[in-house]
Structures are given as C-alpha cells and as structure tokens.
Amino acid sequence: MSAEYEPRVARREQTVAVRGVDYRVHEWGEPDAPVFIYLHGWGDCAPSFQFVVDALSGTHRVIAADWRGFGDSGHNSSAYWFPDYLADLDALLLALDIDEPVSIVGHSMGANVAALYAGIFPEKVAAFINIEGFGLPESNPEDAPERYRGWVTATRQRQHHPGYPSTAMLISRIRQRSPRISDARADYVARCWTREVAGGLRELKADMAHRWPNAVLYRRAEALACWRQVSAPVLLICGADSDFREGLLDWHEPTTCPIPGTRVVTIEDAGHMLHFEQPEQLAAHIEEFLAAKQS
C-alpha cells in the first residue's frame, strides 16, 4: 500500500436537521467565497469529493451533504423514495440560508436529483453541472406487478451489510470499478464509505434498504417534462469508458438533448466515477464552466 492520501483542503462538518433526519453536511473553503453545492451519487458519500476539491485552483466554498441513508446522515425507518431527495435538497438550502440561485454539481443519482430540481424550481438554480446523470431507460408498465411484489417481499426483513473483514478487500472492489484510481485514494474512499465495528469488520455506512427494488416504475417521460423546464446553463460531463451511457446517448445530440443548450464534454480514461479517476480534469471543467457563468 502506498502512503495515505493527505487532503490539501481541510473539510469541516456540521449536522443539520432536514425533514426529520439528521443530515451530515461537509464544507470546504472560505465562507465568503463563491459557493456551489455538490450532490453525491448512489452508494457514495460527500467526503469522496475531496480529490476534486483539492484539485480546484480557484477560491470556492463547496457544500456537500450525505444523502439520507448514506454516509453519516441518519437513516429512514423503512423505505426510501426518490421525491424525498428533492424535498431534502430544498429544505437543506433553506436550512443553510442559501436564498439566492445556487450552482449545483451533481454526480449520477445526485445529478438526476439536481436535473429534476432545476426544472421544478428553475428560479433557484443558477448553473447545473451534470456528471453522468442520464436518467434511466423508459420502464414497461407490464413490469408493475412483479416490481410491487419484489418490493413488498424485500421489506419483510431489513438486512444489514455483513461487512468487510479488511479495508484491503473493499479497496480491491473499488479498483475493479475504477481501475485508474490510486491505491491511496482508494484507501481514502474505503474509509469514507465504512466504519469499524466489533471484530475489526468494516461496515458500509449505506443503509441496505437502498437496495430494495423501487416500488414505483421510472417514467422517463415525466423526467423529460421536468428537464425541459430547466433554464440554467448546463454542462454534462461524461466518462469516455462509462458503462452508464449505453442507450442514453440522446444527451450527446443537439437535436435530441433533453435539456436544450446543454454543453457536453467527455473525459478520456475515465469511467462512471470520474471524481475518483480524473479529479484534476473534472475540477478544471467545473471551474471553467462556473467562471464563464459568473463573467
């Protein structure tokens, strides 16, 4: 194992009550610097954005929260519903006294939340940087009976992750998914994702209830209706080797892009987890876009 990853920019933490759940909120930078909100993806947590923060060349105030049921935020007592994330984001902005239109950077699930939010409340979003948030393929209504059955069956017994016997085992899993991440960064992510429990096991912080099938089928037409209302400038950042792009390439064509006027850039030598594999390039694109928006 190489030397441990040493963050360049210090991270601060606070706990904020958001709609009945204690949210862990992380912050980097000076309080009076230009702010942007970062929204992490499914199974991830906010502190893993550290590599991108460390690569930013300018002065920024970055605020990122662990979604409910992930990281160090509180868990739901039962299921998780996607609309909760929209309401949580809205309540979080209010709790943080952010009443001006804000720039949002979202990855994967976080980007999908931000895309909907930017269409539902276009007056609240000044700019949107979408990292690999393509939405989902259209669902088939005929799948509804089996989906409901699967959800009800899954809820009968709440499961807990068995844990990893060592950090090294999780690091190996992380590197399988993101082969270009360094050992030091993979170790940092592994420690962000887990906590030590009895017997020396490393237990994932993510609530296993997130793995239940969603009882409600995804309706892409509804997402498109929201996306079409986005008025903020949008930058879509993709990984050239991402396995999330297949079948959702309408974002890359000006005539079919769900949010008209979206600027699209692709980062080479990166998969879905761009903030792990190419944080320096990702930071450069974020800063360039936000600077152009502010000028």
Side-chain angles (χ1 to χ4, degrees), residues 6-7 11-12 14 30 47 53 57 59-60 64 83 90 96 120 130 155 157 164 167 172 219 225 250 267 278 288:
E6 292 289 341
R11 173 169 53 89
R12 305 180 295 279
Q14 63 173 312
E30 299 300 322
V53 173
S57 61
T59 302
H60 303 270
D90 193 65
L96 296 173
I120 297 165
N130 178 343
T155 62
Q157 182 176 1
Y164 292 92
T167 305
S172 177
R219 294 188 271 275
D250 52 342
I267 295 180
Q278 298 294 348
E288 178 189 11

Side-chain angles (χ1 to χ4, degrees), residues 4-291:
E4 291 185 6
Y5 183 82
E6 292 289 341
R8 186 176 67 84
V9 182
R11 173 169 53 89
R12 305 180 295 279
E13 297 182 11
Q14 63 173 312
T15 299
V16 177
V18 176
R19 302 178 60 248
V21 171
D22 286 340
Y23 257 63
R24 184 62 58 86
V25 179
H26 310 265
E27 186 170 336
W28 299 264
E30 299 300 322
D32 58 349
V35 64
F36 70 81
I37 304 295
Y38 172 71
L39 306 177
H40 71 79
W42 189 94
D44 202 356
C45 60
S48 72
F49 197 59
Q50 181 74 51
F51 315 135
V52 180
V53 173
D54 287 343
L56 296 171
S57 61
T59 302
H60 303 270
R61 179 188 178 200
V62 183
I63 300 174
D66 296 335
W67 290 118
R68 60 172 64 217
F70 291 112
D72 291 312
S73 287
H75 293 188
N76 283 2
S77 59
S78 57
Y80 293 85
W81 301 98
F82 201 83
D84 275 330
Y85 300 123
L86 295 168
D88 284 358
L89 173 57
D90 193 65
L92 182 63
L93 294 178
L94 291 173
L96 296 173
D97 294 323
I98 298 176
D99 52 9
E100 296 292 327
V102 67
S103 297
I104 300 178
V105 178
H107 173 247
S108 194
M109 184 190 84
N112 284 306
V113 175
L116 293 175
Y117 190 81
I120 297 165
F121 295 103
E123 72 279 5
K124 294 188 176 185
V125 180
F128 170 37
I129 297 177
N130 178 343
I131 307 169
E132 290 268 316
F134 305 110
L136 298 174
E138 185 60 270
S139 57
N140 182 354
E142 295 301 316
D143 294 335
E146 189 62 30
R147 180 67 67 87
Y148 280 122
R149 181 184 179 92
W151 180 80
V152 171
T153 302
T155 62
R156 289 174 182 166
Q157 182 176 1
R158 200 177 190 95
Q159 296 180 334
H160 296 279
H161 193 273
Y164 292 92
S166 67
T167 305
M169 180 175 290
L170 180 54
I171 289 172
S172 177
R173 293 283 302 274
I174 293 169
R175 298 211 68 191
Q176 285 176 10
R177 181 71 189 279
S178 304
R180 300 171 189 86
I181 191 173
S182 67
D183 284 340
R185 285 175 172 167
D187 174 75
Y188 186 88
V189 171
R191 296 181 187 280
C192 287
W193 284 2
T194 60
R195 61 174 62 89
E196 188 171 349
V197 294
L201 289 174
R202 302 293 301 188
E203 178 186 63
L204 281 177
K205 295 178 180 179
D207 190 346
M208 288 290 284
H210 284 293
R211 298 177 182 268
W212 293 349
N214 196 325
V216 179
L217 294 172
Y218 181 81
R219 294 188 271 275
R220 191 169 178 84
E222 294 181 4
L224 286 167
C226 295
W227 295 343
R228 283 193 289 267
Q229 300 301 312
V230 175
S231 59
V234 180
L235 171 66
L236 173 65
I237 305 178
C238 312
D241 301 325
S242 173
D243 53 357
F244 275 58
R245 295 167 43 153
E246 186 176 356
L248 301 171
L249 295 180
D250 52 342
W251 283 89
H252 296 260
E253 296 295 332
T255 57
T256 60
C257 184
I259 303 179
T262 297
R263 177 186 165 199
V264 181
V265 298
T266 299
I267 295 180
E268 299 297 326
D269 295 322
H272 182 61
M273 308 296 275
L274 290 92
H275 56 305
F276 291 176
E277 298 191 292
Q278 298 294 348
E280 292 81 10
Q281 291 190 51
L282 183 56
H285 284 297
I286 290 172
E287 288 195 293
E288 178 189 11
F289 186 74
L290 293 180

